[in-house]
Amino acid sequence: ALGAQAAVHAALGRPSSALKAAREVHEAVKGQKRSEAAALLAVADAFPGSRDGLAAAKEAVAAFQDLGDKSGEGAAMIALAFAHGDQADRQFDDSLRAAKGAAELFKAAGDSGGEALALSTASRAAALKEDTQEASRLAKEALAAFQRLGLKVGQQYASDLISDAPFSWMQQTGARLLFDEDQLAHVEINETATQDSLESIVSTLHHYHSREKFKHVKGLVFHVEGTPAPTRLHSYAMSTGTFLIGIRTLGLPVVSCCWGTISGPSWGLALIGDYRIASADTQFQLPVLRPLECLAELLGPSNAAHLTMDNGTLSAASALEMGIFHQVQKDKEWASKSAKEQSKRISNFPVLASRQTLTLMTPDAEKYIFVR
C-alpha cells in the first residue's frame, strides 16, 4: 500500500510526498535484502533531484551488486544517472558515465530492453552535457535496439531524442514585459517562453488595461526573436495560441518586429502585430504547419495558400513584396527602434478612434489560435 501511495504521489507531481512514502517502504522491509534493494530504488526514483534520491541510488547500486543481480544493478544505475543529472549542481559527466555503465550491465545480462532504455538515458545525459554528436549517436543505437524488439513506444522516444539532439543546449526562457516613458508596453519574446512568464504578461497587461481608460498602456510592441526549438520547449499557451488570444483581447494597437529564423509558433508572434516589421536578414521557414485560424483573413487567401503549401525559406524582402510585412529594416536594432516609433505614432491617435479602427480592420481575437 505504501508503494502504491509513493507511485500516486509521484504521478501527481508531489516528489517530496513520494519520497516520504518510499522511505517508509524502505523502513518496513529492512533486513530483507532483495526487498530492501528494490525499496532503495523506489526512493531514488521518487525524487531524483534531491540529495536523498542521489544517496539512495548509490545504495541501490551497491545492494544489487551484493545480490549479483545485473539487471537490478542496471536499473539502479539508470536511477543514478537521472539523480546526477537532476541535482542542483548538474553532474552531467557522472550522469553519462552511470547511464553507459547501465547499458553495459544490461548487455552482459542479455536484457535487450534494459540496454535500449539505458542507451536512451545516456543520450539524454549527453544532450544535457551539450554533446550533440554523442547524444545523436546514442539515440540512434537506442532506436536500433527498440526496433529489434518491436517496441513502438521506445522507437518513438528514441526518434524524439534524435530530432532533439541538435537543440540539446536549449532551455526554456522567460518572456519579458517592459514599460517605457511613452506609456508603451514592450514584450521581448521567443518561442521557448515559459508558461508562467506568458501568463504573467497577459495578467499584468489586463490589469493595467482595465484602469482609467488606457492611461497606463497606450500600445504594445512585440520584439520577436526567431529561435527554432523542439516542441518539448513550447509551453501550452505558446503552442496553442492562447497567449495570442490573451494579447488580442486587450484591444490595444500592436506593432511587432522580428529577426532570426521564424518557424513554428514564432509565426504567430510575428503576425500578431497590426503593423509588422522585420529585419533584412530574417528567414521565414515554410510551410507554416499550424497556421493561425485567421491567416487568410490577415494576409489574403493567396498568401495564406503560399505560406501553408510551399516548402523552403522566404526572405524578408519577399515577405515585404507579398504584403506580409509593412517594413523591412537593415538589422534588429533598427527594426526594434522603428517598431517603437510606429507604436508611438499610432498611440497618439484618440483611444476611441484607434479601438474602432482595430475592431473594423482586424480579425476577432479568438481567431488568433493555431489550427490543429
Side-chain angles (χ1 to χ4, degrees):
L2 286 170
Q5 187 179 5
V8 169
H9 282 307
L12 293 175
R14 300 170 183 164
S16 297
S17 299
L19 181 61
K20 181 180 178 183
R23 277 181 184 155
E24 291 176 6
V25 173
H26 179 240
E27 289 296 324
V29 298
K30 270 193 172 177
Q32 306 170 43
K33 287 190 175 181
R34 186 165 293 279
S35 297
E36 191 174 347
L40 283 167
L41 182 55
V43 173
D45 284 336
F47 196 169
S50 67
R51 290 293 180 185
D52 287 345
L54 178 60
K58 291 178 179 178
E59 289 181 45
V61 170
F64 281 114
Q65 278 178 342
D66 290 341
L67 292 167
D69 184 345
K70 289 193 178 295
S71 291
E73 186 183 348
M77 289 287 278
I78 288 178
L80 181 60
F82 275 99
H84 278 305
D86 289 348
Q87 294 300 300
D89 52 347
R90 301 295 186 184
Q91 302 155 11
F92 297 139
D93 287 326
D94 292 331
S95 177
L96 182 57
R97 194 159 39 245
K100 287 183 175 179
E104 291 297 324
L105 286 165
F106 282 122
K107 187 175 182 179
D111 187 343
S112 300
E115 184 184 358
L117 180 60
L119 287 168
S120 298
T121 307
S123 175
R124 172 185 178 272
L128 291 172
K129 193 183 170 186
E130 300 184 15
D131 187 344
T132 57
Q133 289 186 339
E134 183 70 355
S136 181
R137 182 185 71 79
L138 290 166
K140 287 174 181 176
E141 288 186 22
L143 177 60
F146 282 124
Q147 286 173 338
R148 287 193 297 270
L149 293 166
L151 295 175
K152 297 292 186 184
V153 174
Q155 291 175 41
Q156 183 60 53
Y157 179 55
S159 296
D160 289 343
L161 288 173
I162 292 170
S163 62
D164 285 356
F167 306 100
S168 59
W169 57 275
M170 297 184 71
Q171 298 293 329
Q172 280 194 316
T173 57
R176 296 204 307 164
L177 175 63
L178 307 168
F179 297 93
D180 66 16
E181 67 280 0
D182 297 306
Q183 295 175 272
L184 301 177
H186 297 260
V187 179
E188 297 178 353
I189 192 170
N190 62 39
E191 64 185 67
T192 66
T194 62
Q195 180 75 16
D196 287 346
S197 67
L198 298 180
E199 290 177 358
S200 176
I201 286 172
V202 172
S203 176
T204 302
L205 288 173
H206 274 274
H207 172 71
Y208 282 119
H209 170 76
S210 63
R211 298 179 62 186
E212 298 184 22
K213 296 183 179 179
F214 308 89
K215 177 180 177 181
H216 297 280
V217 181
K218 292 183 176 180
L220 293 175
V221 183
F222 265 67
H223 305 265
V224 181
E225 179 185 15
T227 309
T231 54
R232 65 179 173 83
L233 295 179
H234 296 159
S235 65
Y236 176 81
M238 180 65 68
S239 61
T240 59
T242 52
F243 171 68
L244 305 180
I245 293 176
I247 294 297
R248 295 304 311 189
T249 54
L250 288 163
L252 290 170
V254 181
V255 177
S256 62
C257 63
C258 63
W259 59 88
T261 302
I262 302 298
S263 66
S266 293
W267 270 105
L269 297 174
L271 295 177
I272 194 175
D274 302 297
Y275 193 90
R276 300 179 289 274
I277 302 169
S279 70
D281 59 354
T282 309
Q283 293 292 314
F284 300 91
Q285 294 287 338
L286 301 179
V288 182
L289 296 177
R290 290 187 57 198
L292 293 172
E293 189 176 299
C294 60
L295 186 65
E297 197 172 342
L298 271 177
L299 307 178
S302 177
N303 283 339
H306 175 71
L307 294 181
T308 53
M309 298 181 70
D310 204 358
N311 191 37
T313 59
L314 182 71
S315 67
S318 297
L320 180 65
E321 288 178 9
M322 294 169 66
I324 298 172
F325 286 85
H326 301 93
Q327 281 187 38
V328 169
Q329 295 292 338
K330 64 178 183 179
D331 55 32
K332 69 177 184 180
E333 285 78 16
W334 279 90
S336 292
K337 183 178 179 181
S338 179
K340 178 181 177 180
E341 292 303 315
Q342 187 64 33
S343 188
K344 280 172 63 177
R345 271 191 226 104
I346 295 172
S347 64
N348 285 332
F349 284 91
V351 172
L352 184 59
S354 293
R355 185 154 193 174
Q356 286 177 336
T357 302
L358 288 174
T359 302
L360 291 170
M361 297 184 64
T362 61
D364 295 336
E366 61 268 21
K367 290 186 178 181
Y368 280 83
I369 199 163
F370 291 119
V371 175
R372 288 190 175 275

